[in-house]
Amino acid sequence: MFTHTYNSIITIENLLLTWERFLRGKKHKKDVIKFQAELATNIASLYADLKNKTYIHGPYSAFNISDPKPRNIHKATVRDRVLHHLIYKELYWHFHTRFIYDSYSCRKHKGTHKALDRFKDFARKVSKNHTRTCFVLKCDIKKFFASVDHAVLIKILERHIADPDIHWLINQVISSFHTTAPGVGLPLGNLTSQLLVNVYMHEFDMYIKQELRVKYYLRYVDDFVIMHYDKKVIMEALPKVRDFLENRLKLSLHPDKVFIKTASSGVDFLGWIHYPKHRVLRTATKKRMLRKITATSKPETVASYLGLLSHGNCFKLSQTISRGRLAK
């Protein structure tokens, strides 16, 4: 149980410390410069609203990105984002220590590359060094962020956090946004959303590990895999997975992104096609990368993609890129 109190979290000192953390990498942003120009007044005003519990979350500004598919990002004001950082800073380690080992998104010392290596390790163990068949159930949740149910999330948080005033504060952030209907959806732009979706999906992680007793399971945001040498075990798990998500978390599996394959046939996971002894970039990922590199000659862009390619079997492609042989 998270036992810190609301009043110990919202102090002026803690808000100023949070501001310093928030400022990293944002010093030249216009909205940040404007907020900093009257920092003492702005922090004092935020503190007063939190102390008196008159804080109201402001509106969002929306814009679209391609990452690689189109995504709608919602950006809060600097004032609200400072509060998001405060909540994240206070709650992160409490939940991080409770998450399962094989949850890899938005966590310190985890990430995509660790998830890719874990996938490889699992496939090797299940197949006994590729001497028997390894079946892989790969799933993706449909419109994940847009489908998170506020009431379900709040109930989960109430089990972990003792102070009702902290519940009130988090509720202000959660209820500040909705997608298709009030009470549904989290904004992709909020730092708090990264933590909250992991808290939400931790319920599913624990169901998989404790109820279904699945040993070889890993998740990255809403992409997850289950591995087993017996296809029947995989087939029996799928309807239970679907039922838990729909009835307990009000989420749905994406109908076009659920499949059962053998590891030897190549499994598409986190942008790579995984084979028993190597992995290669997904074709769409490679084409997008080549388009971006062709469009720009910035050294940092090339270096970033070379770093990506170093995590797979892409020697020839890396050589082509590093020597600048792409057609202009």
Side-chain angles (χ1 to χ4, degrees), residues 171-226:
N171 290 353
Q172 302 311 303
V173 175
I174 293 173
S175 63
S176 68
F177 177 86
H178 68 268
T179 49
T180 55
V184 178
L186 294 176
L188 280 170
N190 280 8
L191 178 64
T192 49
S193 296
Q194 298 178 13
L195 176 61
L196 293 175
V197 294
N198 270 339
V199 172
Y200 201 76
M201 286 300 290
H202 179 63
E203 301 294 299
F204 177 68
D205 296 340
M206 295 305 290
Y207 172 72
I208 293 292
K209 301 301 289 185
Q210 295 187 346
E211 298 296 324
L212 298 188
R213 310 294 292 179
V214 174
K215 184 175 183 179
Y216 297 105
Y217 160 82
L218 67 90
R219 178 178 63 81
Y220 189 93
V221 193
D222 61 326
D223 287 351
F224 61 90
V225 295
I226 292 173

Short mmCIF file of all heavy atoms in Angstrom, two decimals, residues 171-226:
data_model
loop_
_atom_site.label_atom_id
_atom_site.label_comp_id
_atom_site.label_asym_id
_atom_site.label_seq_id
_atom_site.Cartn_x
_atom_site.Cartn_y
_atom_site.Cartn_z
N ASN A 171 -7.73 11.39 -9.80
CA ASN A 171 -9.01 11.43 -10.52
C ASN A 171 -9.15 12.69 -11.36
O ASN A 171 -9.77 12.67 -12.43
CB ASN A 171 -10.18 11.33 -9.54
CG ASN A 171 -10.31 9.95 -8.92
OD1 ASN A 171 -9.60 9.02 -9.32
ND2 ASN A 171 -11.17 9.81 -7.93
N GLN A 172 -8.59 13.80 -10.87
CA GLN A 172 -8.65 15.04 -11.65
C GLN A 172 -7.93 14.87 -12.98
O GLN A 172 -8.38 15.37 -14.02
CB GLN A 172 -8.02 16.21 -10.87
CG GLN A 172 -8.64 16.52 -9.53
CD GLN A 172 -10.15 16.63 -9.59
OE1 GLN A 172 -10.69 17.44 -10.35
NE2 GLN A 172 -10.84 15.83 -8.80
N VAL A 173 -6.81 14.15 -12.95
CA VAL A 173 -6.05 13.92 -14.18
C VAL A 173 -6.75 12.91 -15.08
O VAL A 173 -6.91 13.13 -16.28
CB VAL A 173 -4.62 13.43 -13.84
CG1 VAL A 173 -3.86 13.07 -15.11
CG2 VAL A 173 -3.87 14.50 -13.06
N ILE A 174 -7.21 11.81 -14.49
CA ILE A 174 -7.87 10.77 -15.29
C ILE A 174 -9.12 11.30 -15.96
O ILE A 174 -9.36 11.07 -17.15
CB ILE A 174 -8.20 9.55 -14.41
CG1 ILE A 174 -6.92 8.86 -13.93
CG2 ILE A 174 -9.08 8.55 -15.18
CD1 ILE A 174 -7.17 7.75 -12.92
N SER A 175 -9.93 12.05 -15.22
CA SER A 175 -11.21 12.54 -15.75
C SER A 175 -11.06 13.75 -16.65
O SER A 175 -12.06 14.23 -17.21
CB SER A 175 -12.15 12.86 -14.60
OG SER A 175 -11.63 13.91 -13.80
N SER A 176 -9.84 14.25 -16.83
CA SER A 176 -9.62 15.44 -17.66
C SER A 176 -9.71 15.12 -19.15
O SER A 176 -9.67 16.02 -19.99
CB SER A 176 -8.26 16.05 -17.36
OG SER A 176 -7.20 15.20 -17.79
N PHE A 177 -9.83 13.84 -19.48
CA PHE A 177 -9.78 13.44 -20.88
C PHE A 177 -10.70 12.25 -21.12
O PHE A 177 -10.85 11.39 -20.25
CB PHE A 177 -8.34 13.05 -21.26
CG PHE A 177 -8.18 12.56 -22.67
CD1 PHE A 177 -8.00 13.45 -23.71
CD2 PHE A 177 -8.21 11.20 -22.95
CE1 PHE A 177 -7.85 13.00 -25.02
CE2 PHE A 177 -8.06 10.73 -24.25
CZ PHE A 177 -7.88 11.64 -25.27
N HIS A 178 -11.31 12.22 -22.28
CA HIS A 178 -12.04 11.01 -22.69
C HIS A 178 -12.01 10.91 -24.21
O HIS A 178 -11.73 11.89 -24.90
CB HIS A 178 -13.49 11.01 -22.18
CG HIS A 178 -14.36 12.04 -22.82
ND1 HIS A 178 -14.54 13.29 -22.29
CD2 HIS A 178 -15.11 12.00 -23.96
CE1 HIS A 178 -15.37 13.98 -23.05
NE2 HIS A 178 -15.72 13.23 -24.08
N THR A 179 -12.27 9.73 -24.72
CA THR A 179 -12.25 9.51 -26.17
C THR A 179 -13.68 9.42 -26.70
O THR A 179 -14.32 10.43 -26.93
CB THR A 179 -11.45 8.25 -26.52
OG1 THR A 179 -11.89 7.16 -25.70
CG2 THR A 179 -9.96 8.48 -26.28
N THR A 180 -14.17 8.21 -26.88
CA THR A 180 -15.48 8.03 -27.51
C THR A 180 -16.64 8.41 -26.60
O THR A 180 -17.71 8.76 -27.08
CB THR A 180 -15.64 6.57 -27.96
OG1 THR A 180 -15.42 5.71 -26.83
CG2 THR A 180 -14.64 6.23 -29.05
N ALA A 181 -16.43 8.34 -25.30
CA ALA A 181 -17.50 8.66 -24.35
C ALA A 181 -16.87 9.06 -23.02
O ALA A 181 -15.75 8.65 -22.71
CB ALA A 181 -18.42 7.44 -24.15
N PRO A 182 -17.58 9.85 -22.21
CA PRO A 182 -17.04 10.19 -20.89
C PRO A 182 -16.72 8.93 -20.09
O PRO A 182 -17.46 7.95 -20.13
CB PRO A 182 -18.20 10.97 -20.25
CG PRO A 182 -18.93 11.56 -21.42
CD PRO A 182 -18.86 10.52 -22.49
N GLY A 183 -15.59 8.96 -19.38
CA GLY A 183 -15.21 7.82 -18.57
C GLY A 183 -14.41 6.76 -19.28
O GLY A 183 -14.15 5.69 -18.72
N VAL A 184 -13.96 7.07 -20.51
CA VAL A 184 -13.20 6.08 -21.28
C VAL A 184 -12.02 6.77 -21.97
O VAL A 184 -12.20 7.80 -22.61
CB VAL A 184 -14.07 5.39 -22.35
CG1 VAL A 184 -13.24 4.39 -23.16
CG2 VAL A 184 -15.26 4.69 -21.72
N GLY A 185 -10.84 6.19 -21.83
CA GLY A 185 -9.68 6.65 -22.60
C GLY A 185 -8.68 7.46 -21.80
O GLY A 185 -9.05 8.22 -20.90
N LEU A 186 -7.40 7.29 -22.14
CA LEU A 186 -6.32 8.08 -21.58
C LEU A 186 -5.56 8.75 -22.72
O LEU A 186 -5.41 8.16 -23.79
CB LEU A 186 -5.35 7.20 -20.78
CG LEU A 186 -5.89 6.55 -19.50
CD1 LEU A 186 -4.82 5.64 -18.89
CD2 LEU A 186 -6.34 7.58 -18.48
N PRO A 187 -5.05 9.97 -22.51
CA PRO A 187 -4.34 10.68 -23.58
C PRO A 187 -2.93 10.13 -23.77
O PRO A 187 -2.21 9.89 -22.80
CB PRO A 187 -4.31 12.12 -23.08
CG PRO A 187 -4.37 12.01 -21.59
CD PRO A 187 -5.21 10.80 -21.29
N LEU A 188 -2.53 9.96 -25.02
CA LEU A 188 -1.19 9.47 -25.32
C LEU A 188 -0.11 10.45 -24.88
O LEU A 188 1.02 10.06 -24.62
CB LEU A 188 -1.06 9.20 -26.82
CG LEU A 188 -1.65 7.88 -27.33
CD1 LEU A 188 -1.67 7.87 -28.84
CD2 LEU A 188 -0.84 6.71 -26.81
N GLY A 189 -0.44 11.73 -24.77
CA GLY A 189 0.57 12.72 -24.44
C GLY A 189 0.94 12.85 -22.98
O GLY A 189 1.92 13.52 -22.65
N ASN A 190 0.17 12.28 -22.07
CA ASN A 190 0.44 12.44 -20.64
C ASN A 190 1.51 11.47 -20.13
O ASN A 190 1.43 10.27 -20.39
CB ASN A 190 -0.84 12.22 -19.82
CG ASN A 190 -1.74 13.43 -19.81
OD1 ASN A 190 -1.51 14.40 -20.53
ND2 ASN A 190 -2.79 13.38 -19.01
N LEU A 191 2.46 12.00 -19.35
CA LEU A 191 3.43 11.13 -18.69
C LEU A 191 2.72 10.15 -17.75
O LEU A 191 3.09 8.98 -17.66
CB LEU A 191 4.44 11.97 -17.91
CG LEU A 191 5.49 11.20 -17.12
CD1 LEU A 191 6.40 10.40 -18.05
CD2 LEU A 191 6.33 12.16 -16.27
N THR A 192 1.69 10.62 -17.07
CA THR A 192 0.95 9.75 -16.15
C THR A 192 0.32 8.57 -16.88
O THR A 192 0.18 7.49 -16.30
CB THR A 192 -0.14 10.53 -15.41
OG1 THR A 192 -0.91 11.28 -16.37
CG2 THR A 192 0.45 11.49 -14.39
N SER A 193 -0.06 8.76 -18.13
CA SER A 193 -0.70 7.67 -18.88
C SER A 193 0.23 6.47 -19.01
O SER A 193 -0.22 5.32 -18.98
CB SER A 193 -1.12 8.15 -20.27
OG SER A 193 -2.11 9.16 -20.18
N GLN A 194 1.53 6.74 -19.16
CA GLN A 194 2.50 5.64 -19.29
C GLN A 194 2.49 4.75 -18.06
O GLN A 194 2.58 3.52 -18.16
CB GLN A 194 3.90 6.21 -19.51
CG GLN A 194 4.06 7.03 -20.78
CD GLN A 194 5.46 7.61 -20.91
OE1 GLN A 194 6.38 7.23 -20.19
NE2 GLN A 194 5.63 8.54 -21.83
N LEU A 195 2.39 5.37 -16.90
CA LEU A 195 2.35 4.60 -15.66
C LEU A 195 0.99 3.94 -15.46
O LEU A 195 0.89 2.77 -15.11
CB LEU A 195 2.68 5.50 -14.47
CG LEU A 195 2.58 4.86 -13.08
CD1 LEU A 195 3.56 3.70 -12.94
CD2 LEU A 195 2.83 5.90 -12.00
N LEU A 196 -0.07 4.70 -15.72
CA LEU A 196 -1.42 4.21 -15.44
C LEU A 196 -1.80 3.01 -16.30
O LEU A 196 -2.48 2.10 -15.83
CB LEU A 196 -2.43 5.34 -15.62
CG LEU A 196 -2.34 6.48 -14.60
CD1 LEU A 196 -3.32 7.59 -14.94
CD2 LEU A 196 -2.58 5.96 -13.17
N VAL A 197 -1.35 2.99 -17.57
CA VAL A 197 -1.70 1.83 -18.40
C VAL A 197 -0.96 0.58 -17.91
O VAL A 197 -1.48 -0.54 -18.03
CB VAL A 197 -1.42 2.06 -19.90
CG1 VAL A 197 -2.34 3.14 -20.45
CG2 VAL A 197 0.04 2.38 -20.17
N ASN A 198 0.24 0.75 -17.35
CA ASN A 198 0.93 -0.40 -16.77
C ASN A 198 0.24 -0.88 -15.50
O ASN A 198 0.19 -2.09 -15.24
CB ASN A 198 2.40 -0.05 -16.48
CG ASN A 198 3.32 -0.35 -17.65
OD1 ASN A 198 2.99 -1.16 -18.51
ND2 ASN A 198 4.46 0.29 -17.68
N VAL A 199 -0.27 0.06 -14.70
CA VAL A 199 -1.05 -0.32 -13.52
C VAL A 199 -2.30 -1.09 -13.96
O VAL A 199 -2.66 -2.12 -13.37
CB VAL A 199 -1.45 0.94 -12.71
CG1 VAL A 199 -2.42 0.58 -11.59
CG2 VAL A 199 -0.20 1.62 -12.15
N TYR A 200 -2.94 -0.60 -15.00
CA TYR A 200 -4.15 -1.23 -15.53
C TYR A 200 -3.86 -2.65 -16.02
O TYR A 200 -4.55 -3.60 -15.65
CB TYR A 200 -4.66 -0.37 -16.69
CG TYR A 200 -6.11 -0.53 -17.05
CD1 TYR A 200 -7.12 0.03 -16.27
CD2 TYR A 200 -6.51 -1.20 -18.21
CE1 TYR A 200 -8.46 -0.07 -16.62
CE2 TYR A 200 -7.84 -1.32 -18.57
CZ TYR A 200 -8.81 -0.75 -17.77
OH TYR A 200 -10.14 -0.86 -18.11
N MET A 201 -2.81 -2.78 -16.83
CA MET A 201 -2.50 -4.09 -17.41
C MET A 201 -1.81 -5.03 -16.42
O MET A 201 -1.71 -6.23 -16.69
CB MET A 201 -1.63 -3.90 -18.66
CG MET A 201 -2.39 -3.37 -19.85
SD MET A 201 -3.75 -4.45 -20.37
CE MET A 201 -2.85 -5.83 -21.06
N HIS A 202 -1.35 -4.50 -15.30
CA HIS A 202 -0.79 -5.38 -14.27
C HIS A 202 -1.84 -6.37 -13.77
O HIS A 202 -1.50 -7.50 -13.40
CB HIS A 202 -0.27 -4.54 -13.11
CG HIS A 202 0.32 -5.34 -11.99
ND1 HIS A 202 1.43 -6.14 -12.15
CD2 HIS A 202 -0.07 -5.49 -10.69
CE1 HIS A 202 1.70 -6.74 -11.00
NE2 HIS A 202 0.81 -6.37 -10.11
N GLU A 203 -3.09 -5.96 -13.79
CA GLU A 203 -4.18 -6.89 -13.42
C GLU A 203 -4.18 -8.09 -14.37
O GLU A 203 -4.35 -9.24 -13.94
CB GLU A 203 -5.52 -6.16 -13.50
CG GLU A 203 -5.64 -4.95 -12.60
CD GLU A 203 -5.61 -5.33 -11.13
OE1 GLU A 203 -6.50 -6.08 -10.70
OE2 GLU A 203 -4.69 -4.87 -10.42
N PHE A 204 -3.99 -7.81 -15.64
CA PHE A 204 -3.94 -8.88 -16.64
C PHE A 204 -2.68 -9.72 -16.46
O PHE A 204 -2.73 -10.96 -16.53
CB PHE A 204 -3.99 -8.26 -18.04
CG PHE A 204 -3.88 -9.26 -19.15
CD1 PHE A 204 -4.90 -10.18 -19.38
CD2 PHE A 204 -2.77 -9.29 -19.99
CE1 PHE A 204 -4.81 -11.10 -20.42
CE2 PHE A 204 -2.67 -10.21 -21.02
CZ PHE A 204 -3.69 -11.11 -21.24
N ASP A 205 -1.54 -9.05 -16.24
CA ASP A 205 -0.28 -9.77 -16.04
C ASP A 205 -0.40 -10.78 -14.90
O ASP A 205 0.05 -11.92 -15.00
CB ASP A 205 0.84 -8.79 -15.71
CG ASP A 205 1.16 -7.83 -16.86
OD1 ASP A 205 0.79 -8.14 -18.01
OD2 ASP A 205 1.77 -6.78 -16.59
N MET A 206 -1.02 -10.33 -13.80
CA MET A 206 -1.15 -11.21 -12.63
C MET A 206 -2.12 -12.36 -12.91
O MET A 206 -1.93 -13.48 -12.41
CB MET A 206 -1.61 -10.40 -11.42
CG MET A 206 -0.60 -9.36 -10.95
SD MET A 206 1.02 -10.08 -10.60
CE MET A 206 0.64 -11.01 -9.12
N TYR A 207 -3.14 -12.10 -13.71
CA TYR A 207 -4.07 -13.17 -14.09
C TYR A 207 -3.33 -14.24 -14.90
O TYR A 207 -3.48 -15.45 -14.65
CB TYR A 207 -5.22 -12.60 -14.91
CG TYR A 207 -6.13 -13.66 -15.50
CD1 TYR A 207 -7.00 -14.38 -14.69
CD2 TYR A 207 -6.09 -13.94 -16.86
CE1 TYR A 207 -7.82 -15.37 -15.23
CE2 TYR A 207 -6.91 -14.92 -17.41
CZ TYR A 207 -7.77 -15.63 -16.59
OH TYR A 207 -8.58 -16.61 -17.13
N ILE A 208 -2.52 -13.79 -15.84
CA ILE A 208 -1.76 -14.71 -16.67
C ILE A 208 -0.79 -15.55 -15.83
O ILE A 208 -0.68 -16.77 -16.01
CB ILE A 208 -0.97 -13.94 -17.75
CG1 ILE A 208 -1.92 -13.29 -18.76
CG2 ILE A 208 0.03 -14.86 -18.47
CD1 ILE A 208 -2.68 -14.26 -19.63
N LYS A 209 -0.10 -14.89 -14.90
CA LYS A 209 0.93 -15.57 -14.12
C LYS A 209 0.36 -16.41 -12.98
O LYS A 209 0.82 -17.52 -12.74
CB LYS A 209 1.92 -14.56 -13.56
CG LYS A 209 2.64 -13.73 -14.61
CD LYS A 209 3.45 -14.55 -15.60
CE LYS A 209 4.68 -15.17 -14.98
NZ LYS A 209 5.50 -15.88 -15.99
N GLN A 210 -0.64 -15.88 -12.27
CA GLN A 210 -1.13 -16.56 -11.07
C GLN A 210 -2.32 -17.48 -11.33
O GLN A 210 -2.43 -18.53 -10.69
CB GLN A 210 -1.50 -15.52 -10.01
CG GLN A 210 -0.30 -14.73 -9.50
CD GLN A 210 -0.65 -13.82 -8.34
OE1 GLN A 210 -1.82 -13.55 -8.06
NE2 GLN A 210 0.35 -13.30 -7.66
N GLU A 211 -3.21 -17.07 -12.23
CA GLU A 211 -4.40 -17.89 -12.49
C GLU A 211 -4.15 -18.92 -13.61
O GLU A 211 -4.43 -20.09 -13.45
CB GLU A 211 -5.59 -17.00 -12.85
CG GLU A 211 -6.01 -16.04 -11.74
CD GLU A 211 -6.50 -16.76 -10.50
OE1 GLU A 211 -7.16 -17.82 -10.65
OE2 GLU A 211 -6.23 -16.28 -9.39
N LEU A 212 -3.62 -18.45 -14.72
CA LEU A 212 -3.36 -19.37 -15.83
C LEU A 212 -2.02 -20.08 -15.68
O LEU A 212 -1.76 -21.06 -16.38
CB LEU A 212 -3.40 -18.61 -17.17
CG LEU A 212 -4.74 -17.97 -17.54
CD1 LEU A 212 -4.69 -17.43 -18.97
CD2 LEU A 212 -5.90 -18.93 -17.37
N ARG A 213 -1.18 -19.57 -14.79
CA ARG A 213 0.13 -20.18 -14.49
C ARG A 213 1.00 -20.30 -15.74
O ARG A 213 1.65 -21.32 -15.99
CB ARG A 213 -0.06 -21.57 -13.86
CG ARG A 213 -1.04 -21.62 -12.71
CD ARG A 213 -0.56 -20.85 -11.52
NE ARG A 213 0.60 -21.44 -10.88
CZ ARG A 213 1.22 -20.93 -9.82
NH1 ARG A 213 0.76 -19.78 -9.29
NH2 ARG A 213 2.27 -21.53 -9.29
N VAL A 214 1.00 -19.24 -16.53
CA VAL A 214 1.81 -19.22 -17.75
C VAL A 214 3.24 -18.82 -17.39
O VAL A 214 3.46 -17.77 -16.80
CB VAL A 214 1.23 -18.23 -18.79
CG1 VAL A 214 2.17 -18.11 -19.99
CG2 VAL A 214 -0.16 -18.68 -19.22
N LYS A 215 4.19 -19.63 -17.77
CA LYS A 215 5.58 -19.35 -17.45
C LYS A 215 6.23 -18.42 -18.46
O LYS A 215 6.96 -17.49 -18.11
CB LYS A 215 6.37 -20.66 -17.37
CG LYS A 215 7.82 -20.49 -16.94
CD LYS A 215 8.51 -21.83 -16.77
CE LYS A 215 9.94 -21.65 -16.27
NZ LYS A 215 10.62 -22.96 -16.08
N TYR A 216 5.95 -18.66 -19.75
CA TYR A 216 6.62 -17.90 -20.79
C TYR A 216 5.66 -16.87 -21.40
O TYR A 216 4.99 -17.12 -22.41
CB TYR A 216 7.18 -18.85 -21.85
CG TYR A 216 8.22 -19.78 -21.27
CD1 TYR A 216 7.92 -21.12 -21.02
CD2 TYR A 216 9.50 -19.31 -20.94
CE1 TYR A 216 8.87 -21.97 -20.47
CE2 TYR A 216 10.45 -20.16 -20.38
CZ TYR A 216 10.13 -21.47 -20.14
OH TYR A 216 11.06 -22.31 -19.58
N TYR A 217 5.60 -15.73 -20.75
CA TYR A 217 4.71 -14.63 -21.13
C TYR A 217 5.48 -13.33 -21.00
O TYR A 217 6.21 -13.12 -20.03
CB TYR A 217 3.49 -14.60 -20.20
CG TYR A 217 2.74 -13.29 -20.15
CD1 TYR A 217 1.80 -12.96 -21.12
CD2 TYR A 217 2.96 -12.37 -19.11
CE1 TYR A 217 1.10 -11.76 -21.06
CE2 TYR A 217 2.26 -11.17 -19.04
CZ TYR A 217 1.34 -10.87 -20.01
OH TYR A 217 0.65 -9.67 -19.95
N LEU A 218 5.34 -12.46 -22.00
CA LEU A 218 5.92 -11.13 -21.87
C LEU A 218 5.01 -10.12 -22.57
O LEU A 218 4.30 -10.44 -23.52
CB LEU A 218 7.36 -11.07 -22.40
CG LEU A 218 7.64 -11.24 -23.88
CD1 LEU A 218 7.62 -9.89 -24.61
CD2 LEU A 218 9.00 -11.87 -24.08
N ARG A 219 5.08 -8.87 -22.07
CA ARG A 219 4.19 -7.81 -22.59
C ARG A 219 4.98 -6.52 -22.78
O ARG A 219 5.82 -6.16 -21.95
CB ARG A 219 3.03 -7.58 -21.62
CG ARG A 219 2.08 -6.46 -22.06
CD ARG A 219 0.92 -6.29 -21.08
NE ARG A 219 1.38 -5.90 -19.75
CZ ARG A 219 1.69 -4.64 -19.41
NH1 ARG A 219 1.61 -3.65 -20.29
NH2 ARG A 219 2.08 -4.37 -18.16
N TYR A 220 4.65 -5.82 -23.87
CA TYR A 220 5.15 -4.48 -24.11
C TYR A 220 3.96 -3.61 -24.48
O TYR A 220 3.41 -3.74 -25.57
CB TYR A 220 6.20 -4.47 -25.22
CG TYR A 220 6.92 -3.14 -25.36
CD1 TYR A 220 8.12 -2.91 -24.69
CD2 TYR A 220 6.38 -2.11 -26.11
CE1 TYR A 220 8.76 -1.69 -24.78
CE2 TYR A 220 7.00 -0.89 -26.20
CZ TYR A 220 8.19 -0.67 -25.54
OH TYR A 220 8.83 0.54 -25.62
N VAL A 221 3.53 -2.74 -23.57
CA VAL A 221 2.30 -1.94 -23.68
C VAL A 221 1.12 -2.90 -23.89
O VAL A 221 0.75 -3.62 -22.98
CB VAL A 221 2.38 -0.87 -24.80
CG1 VAL A 221 1.22 0.13 -24.65
CG2 VAL A 221 3.70 -0.10 -24.76
N ASP A 222 0.54 -2.93 -25.10
CA ASP A 222 -0.61 -3.80 -25.34
C ASP A 222 -0.28 -4.97 -26.26
O ASP A 222 -1.17 -5.72 -26.67
CB ASP A 222 -1.77 -2.99 -25.94
CG ASP A 222 -1.40 -2.35 -27.27
OD1 ASP A 222 -0.23 -1.97 -27.44
OD2 ASP A 222 -2.29 -2.22 -28.14
N ASP A 223 1.00 -5.13 -26.60
CA ASP A 223 1.44 -6.30 -27.36
C ASP A 223 1.95 -7.36 -26.38
O ASP A 223 2.78 -7.05 -25.52
CB ASP A 223 2.59 -5.94 -28.31
CG ASP A 223 2.12 -5.14 -29.51
OD1 ASP A 223 0.89 -5.01 -29.70
OD2 ASP A 223 2.98 -4.63 -30.25
N PHE A 224 1.47 -8.58 -26.50
CA PHE A 224 1.95 -9.61 -25.60
C PHE A 224 2.02 -10.96 -26.30
O PHE A 224 1.33 -11.20 -27.31
CB PHE A 224 1.11 -9.71 -24.33
CG PHE A 224 -0.35 -10.05 -24.55
CD1 PHE A 224 -0.78 -11.37 -24.55
CD2 PHE A 224 -1.29 -9.04 -24.72
CE1 PHE A 224 -2.12 -11.69 -24.74
CE2 PHE A 224 -2.63 -9.35 -24.91
CZ PHE A 224 -3.05 -10.67 -24.92
N VAL A 225 2.87 -11.82 -25.77
CA VAL A 225 3.03 -13.16 -26.33
C VAL A 225 3.00 -14.19 -25.21
O VAL A 225 3.41 -13.92 -24.08
CB VAL A 225 4.34 -13.32 -27.14
CG1 VAL A 225 4.34 -12.44 -28.36
CG2 VAL A 225 5.55 -13.05 -26.27
N ILE A 226 2.51 -15.37 -25.55
CA ILE A 226 2.55 -16.54 -24.68
C ILE A 226 3.19 -17.67 -25.50
O ILE A 226 2.81 -17.88 -26.66
CB ILE A 226 1.15 -16.96 -24.21
CG1 ILE A 226 0.56 -15.90 -23.27
CG2 ILE A 226 1.18 -18.32 -23.52
CD1 ILE A 226 -0.90 -16.15 -22.89
#
